[in-house]
mmCIF file of all heavy atoms in Angstrom:
data_model
loop_
_atom_site.group_PDB
_atom_site.id
_atom_site.type_symbol
_atom_site.label_atom_id
_atom_site.label_comp_id
_atom_site.label_asym_id
_atom_site.label_seq_id
_atom_site.Cartn_x
_atom_site.Cartn_y
_atom_site.Cartn_z
ATOM 1 N N THR A 277 -10.986 -11.470 1.480
ATOM 2 C CA THR A 277 -12.111 -10.830 0.904
ATOM 3 C C THR A 277 -11.802 -10.853 -0.685
ATOM 4 O O THR A 277 -10.709 -10.853 -1.171
ATOM 5 C CB THR A 277 -12.131 -9.236 1.161
ATOM 6 O OG1 THR A 277 -11.086 -8.553 0.806
ATOM 7 C CG2 THR A 277 -12.512 -8.852 2.577
ATOM 8 N N TYR A 278 -12.926 -10.729 -1.422
ATOM 9 C CA TYR A 278 -12.747 -10.437 -2.891
ATOM 10 C C TYR A 278 -12.641 -8.899 -2.771
ATOM 11 O O TYR A 278 -13.225 -8.243 -1.877
ATOM 12 C CB TYR A 278 -14.053 -10.833 -3.520
ATOM 13 C CG TYR A 278 -13.956 -10.642 -5.092
ATOM 14 C CD1 TYR A 278 -13.229 -11.622 -5.851
ATOM 15 C CD2 TYR A 278 -14.352 -9.520 -5.667
ATOM 16 C CE1 TYR A 278 -13.169 -11.450 -7.227
ATOM 17 C CE2 TYR A 278 -14.285 -9.326 -7.063
ATOM 18 C CZ TYR A 278 -13.597 -10.258 -7.815
ATOM 19 O OH TYR A 278 -13.546 -10.168 -9.156
ATOM 20 N N PRO A 279 -11.900 -8.267 -3.789
ATOM 21 C CA PRO A 279 -11.700 -6.795 -3.722
ATOM 22 C C PRO A 279 -13.060 -5.978 -3.540
ATOM 23 O O PRO A 279 -14.056 -6.580 -4.066
ATOM 24 C CB PRO A 279 -11.070 -6.543 -5.008
ATOM 25 C CG PRO A 279 -10.213 -7.656 -5.374
ATOM 26 C CD PRO A 279 -11.074 -8.853 -4.790
ATOM 27 N N LYS A 280 -13.027 -4.958 -2.954
ATOM 28 C CA LYS A 280 -14.048 -4.009 -2.785
ATOM 29 C C LYS A 280 -15.298 -4.523 -1.946
ATOM 30 O O LYS A 280 -16.391 -4.128 -2.128
ATOM 31 C CB LYS A 280 -14.507 -3.481 -4.048
ATOM 32 C CG LYS A 280 -13.484 -2.999 -5.050
ATOM 33 C CD LYS A 280 -12.315 -2.365 -4.488
ATOM 34 C CE LYS A 280 -12.537 -0.838 -4.045
ATOM 35 N NZ LYS A 280 -11.200 -0.411 -3.337
ATOM 36 N N SER A 281 -14.935 -5.417 -0.960
ATOM 37 C CA SER A 281 -15.962 -6.083 -0.058
ATOM 38 C C SER A 281 -15.994 -5.578 1.317
ATOM 39 O O SER A 281 -16.753 -6.172 2.074
ATOM 40 C CB SER A 281 -15.829 -7.536 -0.313
ATOM 41 O OG SER A 281 -15.927 -7.999 -1.578
ATOM 42 N N GLY A 282 -15.264 -4.676 1.676
ATOM 43 C CA GLY A 282 -15.238 -4.133 2.871
ATOM 44 C C GLY A 282 -13.951 -4.553 3.718
ATOM 45 O O GLY A 282 -13.892 -4.434 4.970
ATOM 46 N N THR A 283 -12.857 -4.742 3.008
ATOM 47 C CA THR A 283 -11.623 -5.155 3.568
ATOM 48 C C THR A 283 -11.113 -4.053 4.569
ATOM 49 O O THR A 283 -10.609 -4.468 5.724
ATOM 50 C CB THR A 283 -10.589 -5.282 2.522
ATOM 51 O OG1 THR A 283 -11.125 -5.740 1.239
ATOM 52 C CG2 THR A 283 -9.360 -6.104 2.996
ATOM 53 N N THR A 284 -11.075 -2.909 4.108
ATOM 54 C CA THR A 284 -10.472 -1.728 4.879
ATOM 55 C C THR A 284 -11.424 -1.510 6.095
ATOM 56 O O THR A 284 -10.797 -1.143 7.268
ATOM 57 C CB THR A 284 -10.495 -0.511 3.957
ATOM 58 O OG1 THR A 284 -9.873 -0.791 2.762
ATOM 59 C CG2 THR A 284 -9.556 0.569 4.651
ATOM 60 N N TRP A 285 -12.655 -1.589 6.095
ATOM 61 C CA TRP A 285 -13.530 -1.450 7.154
ATOM 62 C C TRP A 285 -13.276 -2.431 8.238
ATOM 63 O O TRP A 285 -12.980 -2.246 9.380
ATOM 64 C CB TRP A 285 -15.030 -1.657 6.579
ATOM 65 C CG TRP A 285 -16.164 -1.162 7.581
ATOM 66 C CD1 TRP A 285 -15.936 -0.658 8.703
ATOM 67 C CD2 TRP A 285 -17.466 -1.451 7.275
ATOM 68 N NE1 TRP A 285 -17.272 -0.373 9.231
ATOM 69 C CE2 TRP A 285 -18.155 -0.741 8.436
ATOM 70 C CE3 TRP A 285 -18.286 -1.929 6.123
ATOM 71 C CZ2 TRP A 285 -19.530 -0.768 8.441
ATOM 72 C CZ3 TRP A 285 -19.554 -1.916 6.286
ATOM 73 C CH2 TRP A 285 -20.212 -1.331 7.383
ATOM 74 N N LEU A 286 -13.272 -3.733 7.711
ATOM 75 C CA LEU A 286 -13.000 -5.018 8.651
ATOM 76 C C LEU A 286 -11.645 -4.709 9.241
ATOM 77 O O LEU A 286 -11.366 -5.076 10.537
ATOM 78 C CB LEU A 286 -13.165 -6.177 7.930
ATOM 79 C CG LEU A 286 -13.019 -7.469 8.565
ATOM 80 C CD1 LEU A 286 -13.923 -7.669 9.841
ATOM 81 C CD2 LEU A 286 -13.110 -8.701 7.563
ATOM 82 N N LYS A 342 -3.936 -8.979 5.464
ATOM 83 C CA LYS A 342 -4.952 -8.782 4.485
ATOM 84 C C LYS A 342 -4.683 -9.609 3.136
ATOM 85 O O LYS A 342 -3.520 -9.617 2.705
ATOM 86 C CB LYS A 342 -5.148 -7.346 4.105
ATOM 87 C CG LYS A 342 -5.668 -7.046 2.661
ATOM 88 C CD LYS A 342 -5.798 -5.583 2.327
ATOM 89 C CE LYS A 342 -6.153 -5.269 0.888
ATOM 90 N NZ LYS A 342 -6.299 -3.992 0.638
ATOM 91 N N HIS A 344 -6.511 -10.874 -0.817
ATOM 92 C CA HIS A 344 -7.631 -10.963 -1.698
ATOM 93 C C HIS A 344 -7.450 -12.447 -2.350
ATOM 94 O O HIS A 344 -8.321 -12.652 -3.345
ATOM 95 C CB HIS A 344 -7.675 -10.005 -2.773
ATOM 96 C CG HIS A 344 -8.082 -8.588 -2.343
ATOM 97 N ND1 HIS A 344 -9.066 -8.369 -1.383
ATOM 98 C CD2 HIS A 344 -7.515 -7.373 -2.575
ATOM 99 C CE1 HIS A 344 -9.037 -6.982 -1.187
ATOM 100 N NE2 HIS A 344 -8.099 -6.469 -1.817
ATOM 101 N N ARG A 366 -19.405 -9.320 0.026
ATOM 102 C CA ARG A 366 -20.350 -8.288 -0.314
ATOM 103 C C ARG A 366 -21.118 -8.650 -1.566
ATOM 104 O O ARG A 366 -20.595 -9.376 -2.551
ATOM 105 C CB ARG A 366 -19.555 -6.853 -0.494
ATOM 106 C CG ARG A 366 -20.518 -5.791 -0.731
ATOM 107 C CD ARG A 366 -19.410 -4.574 -0.998
ATOM 108 N NE ARG A 366 -20.293 -3.221 -0.817
ATOM 109 C CZ ARG A 366 -19.694 -2.054 -1.177
ATOM 110 N NH1 ARG A 366 -18.400 -1.973 -1.545
ATOM 111 N NH2 ARG A 366 -20.504 -0.950 -1.009
ATOM 112 N N ASP A 370 -22.924 -4.465 -5.869
ATOM 113 C CA ASP A 370 -22.221 -3.360 -5.346
ATOM 114 C C ASP A 370 -20.725 -3.547 -5.512
ATOM 115 O O ASP A 370 -19.962 -2.511 -5.588
ATOM 116 C CB ASP A 370 -22.607 -3.116 -3.838
ATOM 117 C CG ASP A 370 -23.876 -2.501 -3.643
ATOM 118 O OD1 ASP A 370 -24.278 -1.669 -4.358
ATOM 119 O OD2 ASP A 370 -24.625 -2.816 -2.608
ATOM 120 N N ILE A 373 -19.798 -2.238 -8.962
ATOM 121 C CA ILE A 373 -19.723 -0.865 -9.096
ATOM 122 C C ILE A 373 -18.529 -0.190 -8.301
ATOM 123 O O ILE A 373 -17.724 0.581 -8.831
ATOM 124 C CB ILE A 373 -21.071 -0.214 -8.566
ATOM 125 C CG1 ILE A 373 -22.311 -0.539 -9.323
ATOM 126 C CG2 ILE A 373 -20.941 1.203 -8.474
ATOM 127 C CD1 ILE A 373 -22.190 -0.150 -10.836
ATOM 128 N N SER A 374 -18.372 -0.638 -7.130
ATOM 129 C CA SER A 374 -17.165 -0.169 -6.332
ATOM 130 C C SER A 374 -15.804 -0.484 -7.061
ATOM 131 O O SER A 374 -14.991 0.317 -7.266
ATOM 132 C CB SER A 374 -17.187 -0.835 -5.031
ATOM 133 O OG SER A 374 -16.158 -0.299 -4.185
ATOM 134 N N TYR A 375 -15.862 -1.673 -7.728
ATOM 135 C CA TYR A 375 -14.586 -2.083 -8.448
ATOM 136 C C TYR A 375 -14.410 -1.216 -9.690
ATOM 137 O O TYR A 375 -13.245 -0.833 -10.026
ATOM 138 C CB TYR A 375 -14.786 -3.468 -8.922
ATOM 139 C CG TYR A 375 -13.420 -4.348 -8.847
ATOM 140 C CD1 TYR A 375 -12.145 -3.786 -8.406
ATOM 141 C CD2 TYR A 375 -13.504 -5.699 -9.129
ATOM 142 C CE1 TYR A 375 -11.055 -4.560 -8.427
ATOM 143 C CE2 TYR A 375 -12.299 -6.514 -9.115
ATOM 144 C CZ TYR A 375 -11.161 -6.020 -8.745
ATOM 145 O OH TYR A 375 -9.951 -6.770 -8.757
ATOM 146 N N TYR A 377 -15.187 1.901 -10.128
ATOM 147 C CA TYR A 377 -14.562 3.251 -9.723
ATOM 148 C C TYR A 377 -13.186 3.007 -9.335
ATOM 149 O O TYR A 377 -12.310 3.878 -9.562
ATOM 150 C CB TYR A 377 -15.344 3.936 -8.553
ATOM 151 C CG TYR A 377 -16.609 4.473 -9.144
ATOM 152 C CD1 TYR A 377 -17.892 3.950 -9.116
ATOM 153 C CD2 TYR A 377 -16.676 5.755 -9.740
ATOM 154 C CE1 TYR A 377 -19.051 4.465 -9.605
ATOM 155 C CE2 TYR A 377 -17.733 6.347 -10.218
ATOM 156 C CZ TYR A 377 -19.037 5.745 -10.203
ATOM 157 O OH TYR A 377 -20.068 6.361 -10.632
ATOM 158 N N PHE A 378 -12.855 1.914 -8.719
ATOM 159 C CA PHE A 378 -11.424 1.629 -8.179
ATOM 160 C C PHE A 378 -10.602 1.608 -9.300
ATOM 161 O O PHE A 378 -9.402 1.819 -9.328
ATOM 162 C CB PHE A 378 -11.391 0.337 -7.245
ATOM 163 C CG PHE A 378 -10.258 0.176 -6.573
ATOM 164 C CD1 PHE A 378 -9.688 1.145 -5.648
ATOM 165 C CD2 PHE A 378 -9.571 -1.040 -6.801
ATOM 166 C CE1 PHE A 378 -8.433 1.017 -5.137
ATOM 167 C CE2 PHE A 378 -8.271 -1.323 -6.065
ATOM 168 C CZ PHE A 378 -7.852 -0.322 -5.337
ATOM 169 N N TYR A 431 -20.980 -7.848 4.199
ATOM 170 C CA TYR A 431 -20.897 -6.375 4.307
ATOM 171 C C TYR A 431 -22.361 -5.859 4.757
ATOM 172 O O TYR A 431 -22.430 -4.965 5.440
ATOM 173 C CB TYR A 431 -20.401 -5.830 2.952
ATOM 174 C CG TYR A 431 -20.284 -4.378 2.704
ATOM 175 C CD1 TYR A 431 -19.121 -3.738 2.903
ATOM 176 C CD2 TYR A 431 -21.472 -3.632 2.538
ATOM 177 C CE1 TYR A 431 -19.058 -2.308 2.706
ATOM 178 C CE2 TYR A 431 -21.375 -2.193 2.325
ATOM 179 C CZ TYR A 431 -20.156 -1.612 2.493
ATOM 180 O OH TYR A 431 -20.118 -0.221 2.227
ATOM 181 N N LYS A 435 -23.525 -3.310 7.668
ATOM 182 C CA LYS A 435 -24.143 -2.053 7.557
ATOM 183 C C LYS A 435 -25.385 -2.048 8.367
ATOM 184 O O LYS A 435 -25.706 -0.969 9.009
ATOM 185 C CB LYS A 435 -24.818 -1.937 6.078
ATOM 186 C CG LYS A 435 -23.713 -1.540 5.055
ATOM 187 C CD LYS A 435 -23.083 -0.176 5.304
ATOM 188 C CE LYS A 435 -23.870 1.048 5.158
ATOM 189 N NZ LYS A 435 -23.165 2.280 5.471
ATOM 190 N N THR A 465 -14.906 3.463 13.329
ATOM 191 C CA THR A 465 -15.081 2.765 11.999
ATOM 192 C C THR A 465 -16.182 3.061 11.208
ATOM 193 O O THR A 465 -16.427 2.428 10.293
ATOM 194 C CB THR A 465 -14.898 1.205 12.295
ATOM 195 O OG1 THR A 465 -16.111 0.768 13.096
ATOM 196 C CG2 THR A 465 -13.603 0.848 13.042
ATOM 197 N N SER A 466 -16.947 4.011 11.560
ATOM 198 C CA SER A 466 -18.181 4.500 10.790
ATOM 199 C C SER A 466 -17.526 4.986 9.537
ATOM 200 O O SER A 466 -16.418 5.473 9.393
ATOM 201 C CB SER A 466 -18.903 5.478 11.367
ATOM 202 O OG SER A 466 -18.228 6.740 11.474
ATOM 203 N N PHE A 467 -18.308 4.970 8.400
ATOM 204 C CA PHE A 467 -17.832 5.516 7.089
ATOM 205 C C PHE A 467 -17.527 6.934 7.263
ATOM 206 O O PHE A 467 -16.395 7.484 6.758
ATOM 207 C CB PHE A 467 -18.954 5.338 6.147
ATOM 208 C CG PHE A 467 -18.583 5.861 4.802
ATOM 209 C CD1 PHE A 467 -17.880 5.008 3.934
ATOM 210 C CD2 PHE A 467 -19.122 7.077 4.150
ATOM 211 C CE1 PHE A 467 -17.396 5.472 2.721
ATOM 212 C CE2 PHE A 467 -18.665 7.467 2.928
ATOM 213 C CZ PHE A 467 -17.809 6.783 2.124
ATOM 214 N N GLN A 468 -18.225 7.816 7.943
ATOM 215 C CA GLN A 468 -17.863 9.139 8.002
ATOM 216 C C GLN A 468 -16.603 9.454 8.767
ATOM 217 O O GLN A 468 -15.731 10.242 8.277
ATOM 218 C CB GLN A 468 -19.075 9.899 8.729
ATOM 219 C CG GLN A 468 -20.310 10.067 8.011
ATOM 220 C CD GLN A 468 -21.001 8.902 7.729
ATOM 221 O OE1 GLN A 468 -21.020 7.957 8.416
ATOM 222 N NE2 GLN A 468 -21.916 8.902 6.727
ATOM 223 N N MET A 470 -14.048 7.146 9.066
ATOM 224 C CA MET A 470 -12.933 6.590 8.321
ATOM 225 C C MET A 470 -12.623 7.491 7.196
ATOM 226 O O MET A 470 -11.501 7.559 6.713
ATOM 227 C CB MET A 470 -13.349 5.140 7.913
ATOM 228 C CG MET A 470 -12.986 4.165 8.960
ATOM 229 S SD MET A 470 -13.304 2.393 8.460
ATOM 230 C CE MET A 470 -12.143 2.212 7.181
ATOM 231 N N TYR A 478 -6.649 6.008 2.720
ATOM 232 C CA TYR A 478 -5.651 5.853 1.674
ATOM 233 C C TYR A 478 -5.159 7.098 1.005
ATOM 234 O O TYR A 478 -4.504 7.060 -0.058
ATOM 235 C CB TYR A 478 -6.219 4.913 0.550
ATOM 236 C CG TYR A 478 -6.145 3.380 0.825
ATOM 237 C CD1 TYR A 478 -6.984 2.775 1.693
ATOM 238 C CD2 TYR A 478 -5.152 2.666 0.191
ATOM 239 C CE1 TYR A 478 -6.858 1.411 1.903
ATOM 240 C CE2 TYR A 478 -4.940 1.294 0.383
ATOM 241 C CZ TYR A 478 -5.877 0.660 1.262
ATOM 242 O OH TYR A 478 -5.842 -0.702 1.514
ATOM 243 N N MET A 486 -2.708 6.070 -6.828
ATOM 244 C CA MET A 486 -4.337 6.186 -6.493
ATOM 245 C C MET A 486 -4.598 7.672 -6.624
ATOM 246 O O MET A 486 -4.048 8.521 -5.771
ATOM 247 C CB MET A 486 -4.539 5.727 -5.056
ATOM 248 C CG MET A 486 -4.568 4.165 -4.882
ATOM 249 S SD MET A 486 -5.314 3.779 -3.279
ATOM 250 C CE MET A 486 -4.974 1.989 -3.238
ATOM 251 N N PRO A 492 -12.774 8.831 -4.695
ATOM 252 C CA PRO A 492 -12.197 8.585 -3.483
ATOM 253 C C PRO A 492 -12.178 7.072 -3.216
ATOM 254 O O PRO A 492 -13.122 6.428 -3.507
ATOM 255 C CB PRO A 492 -12.970 9.361 -2.335
ATOM 256 C CG PRO A 492 -14.308 9.720 -3.072
ATOM 257 C CD PRO A 492 -14.110 9.637 -4.521
ATOM 258 N N PHE A 493 -11.234 6.665 -2.487
ATOM 259 C CA PHE A 493 -11.191 5.208 -1.880
ATOM 260 C C PHE A 493 -12.408 4.852 -1.043
ATOM 261 O O PHE A 493 -13.066 3.784 -1.379
ATOM 262 C CB PHE A 493 -9.897 4.874 -1.182
ATOM 263 C CG PHE A 493 -9.686 3.513 -0.932
ATOM 264 C CD1 PHE A 493 -8.889 2.706 -1.781
ATOM 265 C CD2 PHE A 493 -10.216 2.933 0.191
ATOM 266 C CE1 PHE A 493 -8.753 1.307 -1.517
ATOM 267 C CE2 PHE A 493 -10.079 1.538 0.520
ATOM 268 C CZ PHE A 493 -9.259 0.718 -0.243
ATOM 269 N N LEU A 494 -12.699 5.680 -0.147
ATOM 270 C CA LEU A 494 -13.919 5.491 0.529
ATOM 271 C C LEU A 494 -15.055 6.339 -0.213
ATOM 272 O O LEU A 494 -15.109 7.672 0.016
ATOM 273 C CB LEU A 494 -13.822 6.000 2.034
ATOM 274 C CG LEU A 494 -13.328 4.870 3.010
ATOM 275 C CD1 LEU A 494 -11.830 4.848 3.141
ATOM 276 C CD2 LEU A 494 -14.007 5.020 4.438
ATOM 277 N N ARG A 495 -15.643 5.771 -1.081
ATOM 278 C CA ARG A 495 -16.459 6.336 -1.979
ATOM 279 C C ARG A 495 -17.863 6.641 -1.509
ATOM 280 O O ARG A 495 -18.294 7.841 -1.382
ATOM 281 C CB ARG A 495 -16.517 5.606 -3.357
ATOM 282 C CG ARG A 495 -17.109 6.121 -4.553
ATOM 283 C CD ARG A 495 -17.059 5.085 -5.603
ATOM 284 N NE ARG A 495 -17.936 3.967 -5.275
ATOM 285 C CZ ARG A 495 -19.285 3.871 -5.523
ATOM 286 N NH1 ARG A 495 -19.845 4.816 -6.118
ATOM 287 N NH2 ARG A 495 -19.946 2.815 -5.022
ATOM 288 N N LYS A 496 -18.651 5.584 -1.222
ATOM 289 C CA LYS A 496 -19.992 5.893 -0.735
ATOM 290 C C LYS A 496 -20.323 5.149 0.456
ATOM 291 O O LYS A 496 -21.198 5.624 1.225
ATOM 292 C CB LYS A 496 -21.021 5.472 -1.907
ATOM 293 C CG LYS A 496 -21.412 6.620 -2.833
ATOM 294 C CD LYS A 496 -22.711 6.399 -3.494
ATOM 295 C CE LYS A 496 -23.297 7.688 -4.335
ATOM 296 N NZ LYS A 496 -24.258 7.236 -5.212
ATOM 297 N N GLY A 497 -19.907 3.834 0.525
ATOM 298 C CA GLY A 497 -20.087 3.050 1.664
ATOM 299 C C GLY A 497 -21.406 2.714 1.959
ATOM 300 O O GLY A 497 -21.860 2.701 3.140
ATOM 301 N N ILE A 498 -22.214 2.395 0.938
ATOM 302 C CA ILE A 498 -23.571 1.924 1.128
ATOM 303 C C ILE A 498 -23.946 0.742 0.399
ATOM 304 O O ILE A 498 -23.184 0.147 -0.221
ATOM 305 C CB ILE A 498 -24.658 3.012 0.660
ATOM 306 C CG1 ILE A 498 -24.525 3.261 -0.750
ATOM 307 C CG2 ILE A 498 -24.555 4.332 1.444
ATOM 308 C CD1 ILE A 498 -25.736 4.149 -1.440
ATOM 309 N N ASP A 501 -26.030 0.859 -4.017
ATOM 310 C CA ASP A 501 -25.672 1.999 -4.913
ATOM 311 C C ASP A 501 -25.688 1.405 -6.335
ATOM 312 O O ASP A 501 -25.884 2.264 -7.278
ATOM 313 C CB ASP A 501 -24.161 2.495 -4.557
ATOM 314 C CG ASP A 501 -23.869 3.640 -5.377
ATOM 315 O OD1 ASP A 501 -24.642 4.591 -5.531
ATOM 316 O OD2 ASP A 501 -22.702 3.725 -5.823
HETATM 317 S S1 PPS B 744 -9.907 -2.989 -1.392
HETATM 318 O O1 PPS B 744 -9.229 -2.167 -2.274
HETATM 319 O O2 PPS B 744 -10.345 -4.357 -2.098
HETATM 320 O O3 PPS B 744 -9.123 -3.424 -0.240
HETATM 321 O O4 PPS B 744 -11.269 -2.256 -1.013
HETATM 322 P P1 PPS B 744 -12.227 -2.584 0.270
HETATM 323 O O5 PPS B 744 -11.782 -1.975 1.424
HETATM 324 O O6 PPS B 744 -12.567 -4.054 0.281
HETATM 325 O O7 PPS B 744 -13.626 -1.981 -0.229
HETATM 326 C C1 PPS B 744 -13.790 -0.578 -0.390
HETATM 327 C C2 PPS B 744 -15.372 -0.352 -0.295
HETATM 328 O O8 PPS B 744 -15.650 -0.478 1.103
HETATM 329 C C3 PPS B 744 -16.260 0.777 1.474
HETATM 330 N N1 PPS B 744 -15.979 1.052 2.896
HETATM 331 C C4 PPS B 744 -16.984 1.187 3.862
HETATM 332 N N2 PPS B 744 -18.295 1.013 3.838
HETATM 333 C C5 PPS B 744 -18.956 1.312 4.996
HETATM 334 N N3 PPS B 744 -18.473 1.658 6.130
HETATM 335 C C6 PPS B 744 -17.043 1.822 6.200
HETATM 336 N N4 PPS B 744 -16.554 2.282 7.358
HETATM 337 C C7 PPS B 744 -16.343 1.609 4.961
HETATM 338 N N5 PPS B 744 -14.963 1.662 4.804
HETATM 339 C C8 PPS B 744 -14.816 1.291 3.565
HETATM 340 C C9 PPS B 744 -15.614 1.810 0.504
HETATM 341 O O9 PPS B 744 -16.521 2.965 0.512
HETATM 342 C C10 PPS B 744 -15.690 0.937 -0.723
HETATM 343 O O10 PPS B 744 -17.028 0.895 -1.266
HETATM 344 P P2 PPS B 744 -17.806 1.829 -2.244
HETATM 345 O O11 PPS B 744 -19.103 1.192 -2.437
HETATM 346 O O12 PPS B 744 -17.105 1.996 -3.509
HETATM 347 O O13 PPS B 744 -17.887 3.057 -1.528
#
Side-chain angles (χ1 to χ4, degrees):
T277 56
Y278 188 82
K280 312 327 284 179
S281 301
T283 329
T284 315
W285 191 7
L286 183 57
K342 159 182 168 174
H344 292 314
R366 185 182 193 186
D370 283 325
I373 295 300
S374 183
Y375 217 0
Y377 283 98
F378 189 57
Y431 180 98
K435 282 300 295 183
T465 60
S466 69
F467 182 77
Q468 284 71 21
M470 280 182 61
Y478 275 79
M486 285 190 184
F493 186 93
L494 271 90
R495 191 184 57 90
K496 269 205 175 167
I498 60 169
D501 187 42

